[in-house]
Every structure is written in C-alpha cells, then in structure tokens.
Amino acid sequence: MDKKLADLIRSWHKKKLSRLKFMPGQVHIPASGKSFDHKELIVMTEAVLDGWWTEGRFASEFESRLAKLLGAKYCIMTNSGSSANLLSVSALVSYNLAERRIRPGDEVITLAAAFPTTVNPLILKGLTPVFIDIDLATVNVDVKQLDKLISSKTKAIFLPHHLGNPFNVQAVKGFCRRHNLWLIEDCCDALGSRYKNRYVGTFGDLATFSFYAAHHITTGEGGAVVTNNPQLAKIVRSLRDWGREYWFKTGEDRRRDDGVGAVKLSQLPADYDDKFIFSEIGYNLKTTDLQASLGLVQLAKLEKFAGIRQGNFEYLYQKLSRFGQFFMLPKAETGSDPSWFGFLITLKPNCPFSRKDIVDYLHQNNVGTRMLFAGNITKQPYFITHKVKYRKGDLTNTDYVLKNSFWVGVYQGIDKEKREYMAKVFENFLSRYI
C-alpha cells in the first residue's frame, strides 16, 4: 500500500479509535470482545482497494497460515463458525463417503450444555443427538458416561472444547477408535488451546473454528473447517461452494479435457462446463477477502492475545480462590494448556446468595457476564416447540450448571486496570457474606 495512505490511516486510528480512558464503574467491561489497531485497518483498506472483495488472495493466505499454525493439512475458510459446524456434519452424511456415511436416524453423541449451532446441524440432517453429561470441574464431556450411551446407531461424537478448555481428547479418541466413530472437534472457543503439546483441532476427523467478533481472533464474521483427511476436505469445500464437483478459485474459468469424472454419474452431456457440475447438495458459505485480510493480521497476534487471556485468568483465579466456600472455579483438563475464552464460576450448594444476586450486582457495576451457552438445550423453547427427537443420559451436572453457573471475561481488551476493578467488584459483593 502507498505509504502516504497508510500513514493517514494510522493517524486517523490514533485520533479516533485509540484507547479511551477507563472510568471504573462507568465504562462497561464486556465478557468478550475484539481488539485491533491501525494494522488491521491498513490491510482491510488494501483489500477494499483491490476491488476483488469476494474470496481471493487474502483468503488463500489465511487458510495456508492457519493450517500451518495448527499443523493440519487442510483448512477451508467459511463465513462463520456456525457454518463450519454445518459443513462438517453435512460432509459426514455425504453420499461420497459410501459405506462410511452417516444416515438419517443415526446417532451422534454431544453435549446439551452447548451452543445451539453445535447441535442444530444434527437436527437439520435428520440425525439424533444423544446428550451426555459434563464434568463440573472442567464443564467438558464426562468421559465416564460414554460407555453408557453407545448404541448400534451411534456413528459420531461432536464435542466442544468449552471456554477454551480442551476436553479429555485421549479418552474420547480411544472411544472413537474402539467403536469406529467419526470425531468432530468444535474449537470455536478454543483457538490456540493445546492438549499434550498439540493444538486442538488436529485430533478429530474434522474440526471447526469461529472468528466472530467475540472470539480469540476476529474476521468480523467468519470461521473455518480443518481436517487432515483429503476426502473430507474435498467434500467440505464442495459443500461450501454450491456443491461443485470441481473446485475453482473465485473468478477462475477453466475446463478439463478428459470428459470423464462426475459426468459419468450424471445425465449431463460429456462436454458440459465443469464449473456447473454439482455432486453435493451444497450452499454458498464462502468468506470475503475483506474478512480474510483482517484475519491475517489478527492471526499474527494470536500468541499475544492468548498470553493476555492467560494472565487475566490467573489473576481472577488468585483473587477469587479465597472465596472457595462459595464457588467452584474452573479447572484445566489434565495434560492441557488452555487458551481461555472466559472465566467460569459455579455456585456451590448451599451458597448464601443466588446466581441472580451476584450477576445483577456485577451488571449494576458494569461488569458483563454470560451463561454457559444454552445451559441445557433440551429445555430451550425451540426444542420443545419443534418436538426435537433426542436421547439423553443422566444430565445432573448439566442441570446444575444451567442453574448455578456464569462466566466473566478474560479477553485481550481487559487490561490491568479493568481486571483490578473486576476483582474489586467481586470482593465488595462477597464481603457481605464473610
């Protein structure tokens, strides 16, 4: 980019968007959010001035860099983490998987304490969610319950790494191997988290990521599917790109000369344009180069952002540990190194105050909170009104979290002054009960 233009953008950012003074109690501290500077604005302006705008060179570079970072073979960028989940489930029901495809009526083990878009693709594809309970310490899958829920119809496991805390990959992977099950890792809250010195997203057959504005890095809206399986990568990219049999770079217009391939399976003329041969029931879920350009700058900051999150997590843990009579605090999975998305707090039984009491107090003092996603998705309005078919185990811990848990932010926009204020608000509330 022209240096003069870059300097103007840098100057504008400094004047208009540079850090405002934090006013304790007057400025809201959200549970999650984005952080950026002039570098993102410069590269996004470059993408705009390219005049391409749809998926292009920035998207290709982002896919390559993310795959290399994670140690994965294939990365397919998409327009959201929710779309990444939909594409992953859709890939496993593809006819192109032949005998290994998952069929309508088959079962997939997942969590009821999840975000809806982990579960919804299963419903949309005619699969039956089988809900397993969580461990209260990690709020991830209780692996001791897996053997109780397996059936002859079970074909896959689809689990999130909750709030950046990896689930027990060793136990889950072993279970999948023993029963020949597919595994999808939902890493939408866990970019940068490691399990036994390996990034999450590289253990499953497929893995999904989100780059929504509230996540570890952002592309505004955006997501990705990652896999080491070339067949699955081809199917996912086809599904993402209208269901095309052959992949084309956006704007590319080429033809094959052999006259074979998918045409043989169709009633199309042998000379039919390859760009309009469709072998999947697909969508258009591509990203844009504007989003990808933003993601490239953010991805370079991931390690820095993760370090800030870790520092904020450790600070809150140290400050709240002395109130152990009231709270169960988050525990990292054994052998893991989380890139924390949030700080979960669960009230202990017989706590002298309710979740509503403390959450209301935090909000009155401009400290944002969130629930653990859907809590227990089987109790959500749409599950009831749509009479969703599912099977479940004993969800005692899921229901306990539904009623007694919430989380506060650790994201990179929370600096020393803000986290100290957050701790002070907690201490002011809890001092009433000591």
Side-chain angles (χ1 to χ4, degrees), residues 164-212:
N165 190 13
F167 58 73
N168 186 337
V169 175
Q170 182 174 335
V172 172
K173 280 280 288 183
F175 186 81
C176 288
R177 280 193 297 268
R178 289 194 299 276
H179 297 282
N180 195 29
L181 306 179
W182 296 105
L183 173 61
I184 307 176
E185 295 176 75
D186 184 333
C187 307
C188 289
D189 297 341
L191 178 61
S193 295
R194 293 179 175 89
Y195 181 83
K196 297 193 174 180
N197 297 315
R198 181 172 153 189
Y199 282 114
V200 299
T202 60
F203 296 95
D205 297 287
L206 292 154
T208 62
F209 293 88
S210 173
F211 313 124
Y212 179 62

Short mmCIF file of all heavy atoms in Angstrom, two decimals, residues 164-212:
data_model
loop_
_atom_site.label_atom_id
_atom_site.label_comp_id
_atom_site.label_asym_id
_atom_site.label_seq_id
_atom_site.Cartn_x
_atom_site.Cartn_y
_atom_site.Cartn_z
N GLY A 164 -12.45 -22.68 25.86
CA GLY A 164 -11.02 -22.80 25.61
C GLY A 164 -10.34 -23.93 26.37
O GLY A 164 -9.14 -24.15 26.19
N ASN A 165 -11.09 -24.65 27.18
CA ASN A 165 -10.54 -25.74 27.98
C ASN A 165 -10.69 -27.05 27.20
O ASN A 165 -11.81 -27.52 26.99
CB ASN A 165 -11.28 -25.83 29.31
CG ASN A 165 -10.62 -26.77 30.31
OD1 ASN A 165 -9.49 -27.19 30.12
ND2 ASN A 165 -11.34 -27.09 31.37
N PRO A 166 -9.60 -27.67 26.75
CA PRO A 166 -9.72 -28.90 25.96
C PRO A 166 -10.43 -30.01 26.74
O PRO A 166 -10.23 -30.16 27.94
CB PRO A 166 -8.27 -29.28 25.67
CG PRO A 166 -7.52 -27.99 25.74
CD PRO A 166 -8.19 -27.21 26.84
N PHE A 167 -11.26 -30.78 26.03
CA PHE A 167 -11.83 -31.96 26.68
C PHE A 167 -10.79 -33.07 26.73
O PHE A 167 -9.68 -32.93 26.19
CB PHE A 167 -13.13 -32.41 25.99
CG PHE A 167 -13.02 -32.75 24.52
CD1 PHE A 167 -12.40 -33.92 24.10
CD2 PHE A 167 -13.58 -31.92 23.55
CE1 PHE A 167 -12.32 -34.26 22.75
CE2 PHE A 167 -13.51 -32.24 22.20
CZ PHE A 167 -12.89 -33.41 21.80
N ASN A 168 -11.11 -34.15 27.38
CA ASN A 168 -10.18 -35.28 27.54
C ASN A 168 -10.05 -36.01 26.19
O ASN A 168 -10.73 -36.99 25.91
CB ASN A 168 -10.69 -36.23 28.62
CG ASN A 168 -9.71 -37.34 28.94
OD1 ASN A 168 -8.85 -37.70 28.14
ND2 ASN A 168 -9.84 -37.91 30.12
N VAL A 169 -9.15 -35.49 25.36
CA VAL A 169 -9.00 -36.00 24.00
C VAL A 169 -8.57 -37.46 24.00
O VAL A 169 -9.06 -38.27 23.19
CB VAL A 169 -7.99 -35.14 23.21
CG1 VAL A 169 -7.74 -35.74 21.83
CG2 VAL A 169 -8.48 -33.71 23.08
N GLN A 170 -7.68 -37.82 24.89
CA GLN A 170 -7.17 -39.20 24.91
C GLN A 170 -8.30 -40.20 25.11
O GLN A 170 -8.40 -41.20 24.39
CB GLN A 170 -6.14 -39.35 26.01
CG GLN A 170 -5.51 -40.74 26.07
CD GLN A 170 -4.38 -40.83 27.08
OE1 GLN A 170 -3.75 -39.83 27.43
NE2 GLN A 170 -4.12 -42.03 27.58
N ALA A 171 -9.18 -39.91 26.07
CA ALA A 171 -10.29 -40.83 26.35
C ALA A 171 -11.29 -40.85 25.20
O ALA A 171 -11.78 -41.92 24.79
CB ALA A 171 -10.98 -40.43 27.65
N VAL A 172 -11.61 -39.68 24.66
CA VAL A 172 -12.60 -39.60 23.58
C VAL A 172 -12.07 -40.26 22.31
O VAL A 172 -12.78 -41.02 21.64
CB VAL A 172 -13.00 -38.14 23.33
CG1 VAL A 172 -13.89 -38.02 22.09
CG2 VAL A 172 -13.73 -37.56 24.55
N LYS A 173 -10.81 -39.98 21.97
CA LYS A 173 -10.23 -40.60 20.77
C LYS A 173 -10.16 -42.12 20.90
O LYS A 173 -10.44 -42.85 19.95
CB LYS A 173 -8.82 -40.04 20.54
CG LYS A 173 -8.79 -38.69 19.88
CD LYS A 173 -9.00 -38.76 18.38
CE LYS A 173 -7.81 -39.33 17.66
NZ LYS A 173 -7.99 -39.33 16.19
N GLY A 174 -9.79 -42.60 22.08
CA GLY A 174 -9.75 -44.04 22.30
C GLY A 174 -11.11 -44.67 22.13
O GLY A 174 -11.26 -45.75 21.53
N PHE A 175 -12.15 -44.01 22.63
CA PHE A 175 -13.52 -44.48 22.50
C PHE A 175 -13.92 -44.52 21.03
O PHE A 175 -14.54 -45.51 20.57
CB PHE A 175 -14.46 -43.57 23.29
CG PHE A 175 -15.88 -44.03 23.35
CD1 PHE A 175 -16.28 -45.00 24.25
CD2 PHE A 175 -16.83 -43.49 22.49
CE1 PHE A 175 -17.60 -45.42 24.31
CE2 PHE A 175 -18.15 -43.90 22.53
CZ PHE A 175 -18.54 -44.87 23.45
N CYS A 176 -13.57 -43.48 20.27
CA CYS A 176 -13.91 -43.44 18.84
C CYS A 176 -13.22 -44.57 18.08
O CYS A 176 -13.82 -45.21 17.20
CB CYS A 176 -13.51 -42.09 18.25
SG CYS A 176 -14.57 -40.72 18.77
N ARG A 177 -11.96 -44.84 18.41
CA ARG A 177 -11.24 -45.92 17.73
C ARG A 177 -11.88 -47.28 18.01
O ARG A 177 -12.03 -48.11 17.11
CB ARG A 177 -9.77 -45.94 18.17
CG ARG A 177 -8.89 -44.90 17.46
CD ARG A 177 -7.41 -45.18 17.69
NE ARG A 177 -7.06 -45.07 19.11
CZ ARG A 177 -6.63 -43.98 19.69
NH1 ARG A 177 -6.51 -42.86 18.98
NH2 ARG A 177 -6.32 -43.97 20.97
N ARG A 178 -12.25 -47.50 19.27
CA ARG A 178 -12.83 -48.79 19.65
C ARG A 178 -14.16 -49.04 18.95
O ARG A 178 -14.51 -50.20 18.64
CB ARG A 178 -13.02 -48.88 21.17
CG ARG A 178 -11.73 -49.00 21.94
CD ARG A 178 -11.99 -49.41 23.38
NE ARG A 178 -12.80 -48.45 24.12
CZ ARG A 178 -12.34 -47.36 24.72
NH1 ARG A 178 -11.05 -47.07 24.65
NH2 ARG A 178 -13.15 -46.56 25.38
N HIS A 179 -14.90 -47.97 18.68
CA HIS A 179 -16.25 -48.14 18.12
C HIS A 179 -16.36 -47.63 16.69
O HIS A 179 -17.48 -47.54 16.16
CB HIS A 179 -17.26 -47.42 19.02
CG HIS A 179 -17.34 -47.99 20.41
ND1 HIS A 179 -18.03 -49.15 20.70
CD2 HIS A 179 -16.78 -47.58 21.58
CE1 HIS A 179 -17.93 -49.40 21.99
NE2 HIS A 179 -17.17 -48.47 22.55
N ASN A 180 -15.22 -47.30 16.08
CA ASN A 180 -15.20 -46.85 14.68
C ASN A 180 -16.13 -45.65 14.46
O ASN A 180 -16.98 -45.64 13.56
CB ASN A 180 -15.59 -47.99 13.74
CG ASN A 180 -15.24 -47.69 12.29
OD1 ASN A 180 -14.30 -46.96 12.00
ND2 ASN A 180 -16.02 -48.24 11.37
N LEU A 181 -15.96 -44.63 15.28
CA LEU A 181 -16.81 -43.43 15.22
C LEU A 181 -16.03 -42.26 14.63
O LEU A 181 -14.83 -42.11 14.84
CB LEU A 181 -17.29 -43.04 16.63
CG LEU A 181 -17.99 -44.10 17.46
CD1 LEU A 181 -18.36 -43.53 18.82
CD2 LEU A 181 -19.24 -44.61 16.74
N TRP A 182 -16.75 -41.41 13.89
CA TRP A 182 -16.20 -40.13 13.49
C TRP A 182 -16.09 -39.21 14.70
O TRP A 182 -16.90 -39.30 15.63
CB TRP A 182 -17.10 -39.45 12.46
CG TRP A 182 -17.27 -40.13 11.14
CD1 TRP A 182 -18.37 -40.83 10.71
CD2 TRP A 182 -16.34 -40.15 10.05
NE1 TRP A 182 -18.19 -41.29 9.43
CE2 TRP A 182 -16.94 -40.88 8.99
CE3 TRP A 182 -15.06 -39.62 9.86
CZ2 TRP A 182 -16.31 -41.09 7.77
CZ3 TRP A 182 -14.43 -39.83 8.64
CH2 TRP A 182 -15.04 -40.56 7.62
N LEU A 183 -15.12 -38.28 14.67
CA LEU A 183 -15.00 -37.28 15.73
C LEU A 183 -14.89 -35.89 15.11
O LEU A 183 -14.03 -35.64 14.26
CB LEU A 183 -13.75 -37.54 16.59
CG LEU A 183 -13.42 -36.46 17.65
CD1 LEU A 183 -14.56 -36.30 18.65
CD2 LEU A 183 -12.11 -36.78 18.35
N ILE A 184 -15.79 -35.00 15.53
CA ILE A 184 -15.70 -33.58 15.18
C ILE A 184 -15.38 -32.80 16.45
O ILE A 184 -16.08 -32.91 17.46
CB ILE A 184 -17.02 -33.04 14.58
CG1 ILE A 184 -17.51 -33.89 13.41
CG2 ILE A 184 -16.83 -31.58 14.14
CD1 ILE A 184 -18.86 -33.46 12.86
N GLU A 185 -14.32 -32.01 16.38
CA GLU A 185 -13.97 -31.10 17.48
C GLU A 185 -14.55 -29.72 17.18
O GLU A 185 -14.25 -29.14 16.14
CB GLU A 185 -12.46 -30.93 17.60
CG GLU A 185 -11.66 -32.15 17.97
CD GLU A 185 -10.17 -31.79 17.94
OE1 GLU A 185 -9.70 -31.10 18.87
OE2 GLU A 185 -9.50 -32.18 16.97
N ASP A 186 -15.36 -29.21 18.09
CA ASP A 186 -15.82 -27.83 17.99
C ASP A 186 -14.83 -26.97 18.77
O ASP A 186 -14.84 -26.95 20.00
CB ASP A 186 -17.24 -27.71 18.58
CG ASP A 186 -17.82 -26.31 18.41
OD1 ASP A 186 -17.04 -25.34 18.34
OD2 ASP A 186 -19.06 -26.17 18.38
N CYS A 187 -13.97 -26.28 18.03
CA CYS A 187 -12.92 -25.44 18.61
C CYS A 187 -13.26 -23.95 18.52
O CYS A 187 -12.37 -23.10 18.57
CB CYS A 187 -11.60 -25.68 17.91
SG CYS A 187 -11.09 -27.41 17.82
N CYS A 188 -14.54 -23.63 18.38
CA CYS A 188 -14.93 -22.24 18.16
C CYS A 188 -14.51 -21.34 19.31
O CYS A 188 -14.29 -20.14 19.12
CB CYS A 188 -16.43 -22.16 17.91
SG CYS A 188 -16.92 -22.82 16.28
N ASP A 189 -14.41 -21.90 20.52
CA ASP A 189 -13.96 -21.12 21.68
C ASP A 189 -12.52 -21.44 22.07
O ASP A 189 -12.08 -21.06 23.15
CB ASP A 189 -14.82 -21.45 22.92
CG ASP A 189 -16.27 -21.06 22.74
OD1 ASP A 189 -16.55 -20.24 21.86
OD2 ASP A 189 -17.12 -21.59 23.47
N ALA A 190 -11.78 -22.14 21.22
CA ALA A 190 -10.53 -22.73 21.71
C ALA A 190 -9.34 -22.57 20.77
O ALA A 190 -8.39 -23.33 20.86
CB ALA A 190 -10.76 -24.22 21.99
N LEU A 191 -9.36 -21.58 19.89
CA LEU A 191 -8.21 -21.38 19.02
C LEU A 191 -6.96 -21.10 19.85
O LEU A 191 -6.94 -20.20 20.68
CB LEU A 191 -8.47 -20.20 18.07
CG LEU A 191 -7.33 -19.84 17.13
CD1 LEU A 191 -6.99 -21.00 16.19
CD2 LEU A 191 -7.67 -18.58 16.32
N GLY A 192 -5.92 -21.88 19.64
CA GLY A 192 -4.67 -21.72 20.38
C GLY A 192 -4.54 -22.61 21.59
O GLY A 192 -3.45 -22.69 22.18
N SER A 193 -5.60 -23.32 21.98
CA SER A 193 -5.52 -24.25 23.10
C SER A 193 -4.77 -25.50 22.68
O SER A 193 -4.83 -25.93 21.52
CB SER A 193 -6.92 -24.64 23.59
OG SER A 193 -7.60 -23.53 24.13
N ARG A 194 -4.06 -26.10 23.63
CA ARG A 194 -3.27 -27.31 23.35
C ARG A 194 -3.67 -28.44 24.29
O ARG A 194 -4.03 -28.20 25.44
CB ARG A 194 -1.78 -27.03 23.50
CG ARG A 194 -1.17 -26.09 22.47
CD ARG A 194 0.31 -25.90 22.76
NE ARG A 194 1.00 -25.11 21.75
CZ ARG A 194 1.13 -23.80 21.79
NH1 ARG A 194 0.60 -23.12 22.82
NH2 ARG A 194 1.78 -23.15 20.84
N TYR A 195 -3.55 -29.64 23.77
CA TYR A 195 -3.70 -30.86 24.57
C TYR A 195 -2.47 -31.70 24.32
O TYR A 195 -2.18 -32.07 23.17
CB TYR A 195 -4.97 -31.60 24.18
CG TYR A 195 -5.21 -32.86 24.99
CD1 TYR A 195 -5.81 -32.81 26.24
CD2 TYR A 195 -4.81 -34.11 24.49
CE1 TYR A 195 -6.03 -33.96 26.98
CE2 TYR A 195 -5.02 -35.26 25.22
CZ TYR A 195 -5.63 -35.18 26.47
OH TYR A 195 -5.84 -36.33 27.21
N LYS A 196 -1.71 -31.97 25.40
CA LYS A 196 -0.46 -32.72 25.30
C LYS A 196 0.45 -32.14 24.20
O LYS A 196 0.94 -32.86 23.32
CB LYS A 196 -0.74 -34.21 25.09
CG LYS A 196 -1.47 -34.81 26.30
CD LYS A 196 -1.50 -36.31 26.28
CE LYS A 196 -2.12 -36.84 27.60
NZ LYS A 196 -2.19 -38.30 27.65
N ASN A 197 0.63 -30.82 24.28
CA ASN A 197 1.53 -30.07 23.41
C ASN A 197 1.13 -30.07 21.94
O ASN A 197 1.97 -29.81 21.07
CB ASN A 197 2.98 -30.58 23.55
CG ASN A 197 3.51 -30.38 24.96
OD1 ASN A 197 3.34 -29.31 25.55
ND2 ASN A 197 4.14 -31.41 25.51
N ARG A 198 -0.14 -30.32 21.67
CA ARG A 198 -0.63 -30.32 20.29
C ARG A 198 -1.90 -29.48 20.24
O ARG A 198 -2.75 -29.57 21.12
CB ARG A 198 -0.89 -31.76 19.86
CG ARG A 198 -1.38 -31.94 18.44
CD ARG A 198 -1.38 -33.42 18.13
NE ARG A 198 -2.35 -33.78 17.12
CZ ARG A 198 -2.68 -35.03 16.79
NH1 ARG A 198 -2.09 -36.05 17.42
NH2 ARG A 198 -3.57 -35.28 15.86
N TYR A 199 -2.02 -28.65 19.22
CA TYR A 199 -3.19 -27.78 19.13
C TYR A 199 -4.48 -28.58 18.99
O TYR A 199 -4.53 -29.56 18.23
CB TYR A 199 -3.07 -26.84 17.92
CG TYR A 199 -2.15 -25.66 18.14
CD1 TYR A 199 -0.97 -25.54 17.42
CD2 TYR A 199 -2.46 -24.66 19.07
CE1 TYR A 199 -0.13 -24.45 17.61
CE2 TYR A 199 -1.63 -23.58 19.26
CZ TYR A 199 -0.46 -23.47 18.53
OH TYR A 199 0.38 -22.40 18.72
N VAL A 200 -5.52 -28.14 19.69
CA VAL A 200 -6.84 -28.72 19.45
C VAL A 200 -7.25 -28.37 18.02
O VAL A 200 -6.83 -27.36 17.46
CB VAL A 200 -7.88 -28.21 20.47
CG1 VAL A 200 -7.49 -28.60 21.88
CG2 VAL A 200 -8.10 -26.70 20.37
N GLY A 201 -8.05 -29.23 17.46
CA GLY A 201 -8.42 -29.07 16.06
C GLY A 201 -7.65 -30.00 15.15
O GLY A 201 -7.94 -30.08 13.95
N THR A 202 -6.69 -30.73 15.71
CA THR A 202 -5.89 -31.66 14.92
C THR A 202 -6.08 -33.10 15.38
O THR A 202 -5.37 -33.99 14.91
CB THR A 202 -4.39 -31.30 14.99
OG1 THR A 202 -3.96 -31.36 16.36
CG2 THR A 202 -4.15 -29.91 14.44
N PHE A 203 -7.01 -33.35 16.27
CA PHE A 203 -7.24 -34.70 16.79
C PHE A 203 -8.42 -35.38 16.09
O PHE A 203 -8.43 -36.59 15.91
CB PHE A 203 -7.50 -34.65 18.30
CG PHE A 203 -6.34 -34.17 19.11
CD1 PHE A 203 -6.24 -32.84 19.48
CD2 PHE A 203 -5.33 -35.03 19.49
CE1 PHE A 203 -5.17 -32.38 20.24
CE2 PHE A 203 -4.25 -34.59 20.24
CZ PHE A 203 -4.17 -33.25 20.61
N GLY A 204 -9.44 -34.61 15.75
CA GLY A 204 -10.64 -35.17 15.16
C GLY A 204 -10.52 -35.40 13.67
O GLY A 204 -9.53 -35.00 13.02
N ASP A 205 -11.54 -36.03 13.11
CA ASP A 205 -11.61 -36.17 11.65
C ASP A 205 -11.87 -34.81 11.01
O ASP A 205 -11.41 -34.53 9.91
CB ASP A 205 -12.73 -37.15 11.28
CG ASP A 205 -12.46 -38.55 11.81
OD1 ASP A 205 -11.58 -39.23 11.26
OD2 ASP A 205 -13.11 -38.93 12.81
N LEU A 206 -12.61 -33.98 11.74
CA LEU A 206 -12.90 -32.62 11.32
C LEU A 206 -12.86 -31.73 12.56
O LEU A 206 -13.10 -32.20 13.68
CB LEU A 206 -14.29 -32.51 10.69
CG LEU A 206 -14.50 -33.22 9.34
CD1 LEU A 206 -15.97 -33.58 9.16
CD2 LEU A 206 -14.02 -32.33 8.19
N ALA A 207 -12.55 -30.46 12.37
CA ALA A 207 -12.59 -29.50 13.46
C ALA A 207 -13.10 -28.17 12.94
O ALA A 207 -12.90 -27.82 11.77
CB ALA A 207 -11.20 -29.32 14.08
N THR A 208 -13.75 -27.43 13.82
CA THR A 208 -14.35 -26.16 13.42
C THR A 208 -13.84 -25.02 14.29
O THR A 208 -13.54 -25.20 15.48
CB THR A 208 -15.88 -26.22 13.53
OG1 THR A 208 -16.27 -26.46 14.89
CG2 THR A 208 -16.44 -27.33 12.65
N PHE A 209 -13.75 -23.84 13.68
CA PHE A 209 -13.31 -22.63 14.37
C PHE A 209 -14.23 -21.47 14.03
O PHE A 209 -14.81 -21.44 12.94
CB PHE A 209 -11.87 -22.27 13.97
CG PHE A 209 -10.84 -23.27 14.43
CD1 PHE A 209 -10.53 -24.37 13.64
CD2 PHE A 209 -10.20 -23.12 15.65
CE1 PHE A 209 -9.58 -25.30 14.06
CE2 PHE A 209 -9.27 -24.04 16.08
CZ PHE A 209 -8.95 -25.14 15.29
N SER A 210 -14.33 -20.54 14.96
CA SER A 210 -15.10 -19.32 14.73
C SER A 210 -14.21 -18.10 14.90
O SER A 210 -13.37 -18.06 15.80
CB SER A 210 -16.27 -19.23 15.73
OG SER A 210 -16.92 -17.96 15.62
N PHE A 211 -14.43 -17.11 14.03
CA PHE A 211 -13.71 -15.84 14.11
C PHE A 211 -14.69 -14.69 14.26
O PHE A 211 -14.46 -13.58 13.79
CB PHE A 211 -12.82 -15.66 12.88
CG PHE A 211 -12.00 -16.88 12.56
CD1 PHE A 211 -12.08 -17.47 11.31
CD2 PHE A 211 -11.18 -17.45 13.51
CE1 PHE A 211 -11.35 -18.61 11.01
CE2 PHE A 211 -10.44 -18.60 13.23
CZ PHE A 211 -10.53 -19.17 11.97
N TYR A 212 -15.79 -14.98 14.92
CA TYR A 212 -16.77 -13.94 15.27
C TYR A 212 -16.09 -12.89 16.15
O TYR A 212 -15.05 -13.16 16.78
CB TYR A 212 -17.96 -14.60 16.00
CG TYR A 212 -19.03 -13.65 16.44
CD1 TYR A 212 -19.75 -12.90 15.51
CD2 TYR A 212 -19.37 -13.52 17.79
CE1 TYR A 212 -20.76 -12.04 15.91
CE2 TYR A 212 -20.37 -12.67 18.20
CZ TYR A 212 -21.06 -11.92 17.27
OH TYR A 212 -22.06 -11.07 17.67
#
